[in-house]
Amino acid sequence: MKKFRFTLKKLSLVLFVIIIISTVPAFVISILKMAGVLSSYLFILDLMTALLSLLVASITISVLAYSFYVFGKNTMSLRFGIIKQSIPYKKMISVKKLSESNTLWLIYTDDKDLQSYIMINVNEKYFDDFVAEIRLHNGNVIYSIIGDKEEN
């Protein structure tokens, strides 16, 4: 089982850090209200705020720590924290690298046999290894490098 780390953009990282930082005060204030240190109007509201803050922070941390493309026996899975999406190798059609924007796209057929695509977010130095791993499992996948203007 081979893994490739999901690469987040800098703006996404900043957003996730802001989410984590903003949940800490909400959690602390809710706990202080439930402990009686601060005045509280409704205990259940404080409890729900504490639990929701903890849940949001946990999901955000799981996305930051556990986001991978995992190549299994029959499928490639994207694990984005607690979210998982699997694409069978036999449904993969092609991989296209857009040279001007330097992005990698996987074209496949979905469950309804419609053509779908997903942008692959791995470090660009691993593009060739990623494509080689896909082609190892499905030799029929076509790899092409095209200009962005050709795609439009």
Side-chain angles (χ1 to χ4, degrees), residues 33-113:
K33 285 183 175 182
M34 288 189 301
V37 176
L38 298 174
S39 61
S40 176
Y41 298 106
L42 192 58
F43 180 81
I44 192 71
L45 184 62
D46 297 330
L47 178 64
M48 295 300 287
T49 302
L51 292 175
L52 187 61
S53 299
L54 193 61
L55 178 68
V56 168
S58 299
I59 290 172
T60 305
I61 290 170
S62 75
V63 167
L64 291 173
Y66 302 106
S67 295
F68 296 98
Y69 293 97
V70 180
F71 289 89
K73 185 176 180 180
N74 298 318
T75 62
M76 179 195 77
S77 300
L78 166 60
R79 294 185 181 161
F80 192 67
I82 60 172
I83 301 167
K84 182 180 176 186
Q85 177 187 5
S86 296
I87 302 171
Y89 297 121
K90 64 183 179 181
K91 296 216 174 215
M92 295 179 184
I93 300 169
S94 68
V95 178
K96 296 183 186 228
K97 179 182 176 189
L98 303 181
S99 59
E100 293 174 17
S101 63
N102 207 23
T103 56
L104 197 64
W105 292 84
L106 173 64
I107 291 93
Y108 64 98
T109 56
D110 62 11
D111 295 333
K112 297 176 183 173
D113 289 327

